[in-house]
Amino acid sequence: MADKNSSKNNFIMQAGILAAAGIISRIIGLLYRGPLQSVIGNLGLGYYQSAYNYYTIILLISSYSIPSAISKAIAQKLGEKEYRNAHRLFHGAMIYVLVVGGIASLFLFFGAGLFVSGAAVTVLRTFAPTIFVYGILGVLRGYFQAHKSMAQTSVSQILEQIANAVVSVGAAYLLIQMFMGTMEVPADQAGQVMRATYGAVGSALGTGVGVLVALLFMAGVYALNRGMILRRVQRDRHEHVDSYGQIFKTITLVVTPFILSTAVYNLSSTVNNSIYTKWYPSLRNLDTVSIYEKYGIFSGQSLTMSNIPIAFASAMASAMIPSVAQLMAARDVKGAREKIGLAVKTTMVISIPCAVGLFVLAKPVISLLFTNKTAEELNLAAALLMTLSLSVIFYALSTLNSSILQGLGKVNTPIINAGISLVVQTVAAVLLLMFTSLDLYSIAIANTLYSGMMCVLNQWAVRRAVGYRQEIVKTFVIPVFASAFMGAAAWAIYEGLYMVTKSMRISVIPAIVIAAVVYFVMLILMRGITEQELRNFPKGYLLVKVAKKCRLLR
């Protein structure tokens, strides 16, 4: 029975591999954000993030959804052992991204001025070639994910972030030194803008180099496996071979809903950016440079921190799509329900304590990773992170449920839900900015409202689609109570250490470690997780061993 459960829940392990890579990648991303911020400043981060938001939308429309979409389409063929057609799908997808990615790259380069203005135009043009490269990388990642092999994608993600971190900081520093060292730069606002622009361009170069390094790695992995793949194709005895016309039709039908869903889902940040950096300054007659600087604090620090825990949900979502698609193809609705329930529970067990931890330790966590020139900047970043902390839970669950719906074939539902949530968010942001003095907090509140709407609508849609009811006590109630104990412990330990050391950075690390142990202990004592579920986590056998030694498990 244990073996059966282990096999059945293998996708949790695969999601765990992706989650571990995602978390490592985001930690690397965080670690280099501090040095990057010290080089380019909050204004540079503001220019970078503004360009990055529009680059992301074009990337989403052209290439970003390819791994998930291709993994679903190929997984269905593999489930029917149509290896030849699966490989032809792979070739067709590669042709698709070369054409679409090339067009999107050219459009972004020559049309950058349509999306952003001033210094951000040059930054956005620097992103353009990355879209073309990412499409090829996405097909290779999707191909291996369809085989339920996440290790290749995981390693490529880590390599991508390492290269991104090194080149972003290095290129930003070198560009500033090279170009600003050869000209007389005024010490006024114009000089700050020039420095921020060169720094943001260097950071954008790092993004492109990171994707290129990941592509070279994935291409090498495919080359090593190509002989085995072709031998399996040759042994395929299925008589029906899909024409490339059918393949492109399949790719279009599968990719388009993924693109629309992901694009609408991620329009939230772009809309918020446009409202705050374009519409709001004209409404209140504000200086755009100071607006970009404040937006850099929000997007470069607070929003970046709140996105870290969502890496697990994103990884779980990537693992869910081929698994649920195969179960539904086999008409195993009961099996699909069980996997959905387990995935939701696992995601909540991780996301809820992360949200509480970010709320309780917002200020020291920001101080640990970022350098703010003034106490006002630090307090603003921390308060915004506290405002965003609830969105961690909402985004985690809504991201997972969007992928579940796609795996169930309900590809239009997440698009509709995202569209409704986007309208609500936009109206809320505009009204808050117009009639309150909340300023940047309006954007944080609107962001949380968006994620909450998506969470409710997607959860309801999944329930209707497969008639599934999520277990409440162990999925939500116990993690909330365990997280409350954890949050209290984290706050008490941090405050106690800070009174002695007077250092936020020194005090916060022990507080985080002890808080994680407290949560682990409380979760087991409250029977919020079983031994078998614990074993399904990465290094789960080690966690079980520790729990038994501490007599938490029998």
Side-chain angles (χ1 to χ4, degrees), residues 268-317:
S268 170
S269 296
T270 305
V271 171
N272 282 337
N273 174 51
S274 296
I275 290 172
Y276 189 72
T277 62
K278 293 183 178 179
W279 176 76
Y280 185 56
S282 62
L283 175 71
R284 297 290 176 91
N285 195 26
L286 299 171
D287 175 35
T288 56
V289 173
S290 64
I291 285 291
Y292 269 106
E293 193 165 7
K294 284 199 289 185
Y295 188 77
I297 293 173
F298 170 73
S299 59
Q301 297 186 43
S302 307
L303 196 60
T304 299
M305 283 300 309
S306 70
N307 283 335
I308 294 172
I310 302 170
F312 188 87
S314 299
M316 184 71 72

Side-chain angles (χ1 to χ4, degrees), residues 105 146 152 163 172 177 204 221 269 336 365 437 501 506 551:
S105 294
Q152 297 86 353
Q177 295 301 313
V221 171
S269 296
V365 164
S437 57
T501 64
I506 293 174
R551 298 187 178 181

Side-chain angles (χ1 to χ4, degrees), residues 320-371:
M320 282 295 293
I321 292 173
S323 296
V324 172
Q326 287 183 356
L327 286 169
M328 294 305 291
R331 297 182 180 179
D332 185 1
V333 179
K334 182 181 178 182
R337 284 197 204 112
E338 290 178 359
K339 283 200 171 182
I340 290 168
L342 182 58
V344 171
K345 178 180 178 180
T346 306
T347 302
M348 289 298 96
V349 165
I350 300 294
S351 302
I352 292 173
C354 287
V356 172
L358 288 176
F359 181 85
V360 172
L361 300 174
K363 190 172 180 178
V365 164
I366 290 289
S367 177
L368 177 68
L369 296 165
F370 298 97
T371 302

Side-chain angles (χ1 to χ4, degrees), residues 298 302 306 358-359 362 380-392 440-449:
F298 170 73
S302 307
S306 70
L358 288 176
F359 181 85
L380 175 61
L384 288 169
L385 179 56
M386 293 174 73
T387 309
L388 290 168
S389 59
L390 185 60
S391 70
V392 169
L440 198 51
Y441 293 101
S442 301
I443 302 299
I445 293 169
N447 183 279
T448 303
L449 182 61

Side-chain angles (χ1 to χ4, degrees), residues 284-513:
R284 297 290 176 91
N285 195 26
L286 299 171
D287 175 35
T288 56
V289 173
S290 64
I291 285 291
Y292 269 106
E293 193 165 7
K294 284 199 289 185
Y295 188 77
I297 293 173
F298 170 73
S299 59
Q301 297 186 43
S302 307
L303 196 60
T304 299
M305 283 300 309
S306 70
N307 283 335
I308 294 172
I310 302 170
F312 188 87
S314 299
M316 184 71 72
S318 297
M320 282 295 293
I321 292 173
S323 296
V324 172
Q326 287 183 356
L327 286 169
M328 294 305 291
R331 297 182 180 179
D332 185 1
V333 179
K334 182 181 178 182
R337 284 197 204 112
E338 290 178 359
K339 283 200 171 182
I340 290 168
L342 182 58
V344 171
K345 178 180 178 180
T346 306
T347 302
M348 289 298 96
V349 165
I350 300 294
S351 302
I352 292 173
C354 287
V356 172
L358 288 176
F359 181 85
V360 172
L361 300 174
K363 190 172 180 178
V365 164
I366 290 289
S367 177
L368 177 68
L369 296 165
F370 298 97
T371 302
N372 287 287
K373 296 178 182 178
T374 64
E376 288 76 13
E377 289 182 352
L378 174 60
N379 291 334
L380 175 61
L384 288 169
L385 179 56
M386 293 174 73
T387 309
L388 290 168
S389 59
L390 185 60
S391 70
V392 169
I393 301 171
F394 293 151
Y395 267 122
L397 191 53
S398 62
T399 298
L400 178 64
N401 281 328
S402 286
S403 292
I404 290 171
L405 289 167
Q406 290 165 349
L408 292 170
K410 305 289 183 179
V411 292
N412 293 325
T413 304
I415 302 172
I416 296 169
N417 293 343
I420 294 170
S421 303
L422 186 62
V423 171
V424 172
Q425 172 208 264
T426 304
V427 172
V430 169
L431 291 177
L432 287 171
L433 288 169
M434 284 181 67
F435 299 111
T436 73
S437 57
L438 289 171
D439 195 74
L440 198 51
Y441 293 101
S442 301
I443 302 299
I445 293 169
N447 183 279
T448 303
L449 182 61
Y450 172 84
S451 62
M453 284 288 295
M454 279 290 294
C455 178
V456 172
L457 293 174
N458 281 350
Q459 185 77 4
W460 183 54
V462 172
R463 178 177 172 178
R464 290 183 60 192
V466 289
Y468 120 96
R469 290 177 178 270
Q470 184 64 40
E471 185 277 331
I472 299 296
V473 175
K474 291 185 177 181
T475 303
F476 299 104
V477 177
I478 291 178
V480 166
F481 276 103
S483 297
F485 278 101
M486 178 207 75
W491 179 83
I493 292 163
Y494 168 74
E495 290 294 335
L497 289 173
Y498 183 70
M499 288 176 63
V500 176
T501 64
K502 301 300 181 184
S503 171
M504 282 189 276
R505 294 183 177 183
I506 293 174
S507 304
V508 71
I509 295 174
I512 292 171
V513 173

Side-chain angles (χ1 to χ4, degrees), residues 89-109:
L89 257 173
F90 168 70
H91 285 157
M94 195 64 75
I95 295 170
Y96 173 91
V97 297
L98 289 173
V99 174
V100 174
I103 293 171
S105 294
L106 292 171
F107 173 73
L108 187 64
F109 184 85

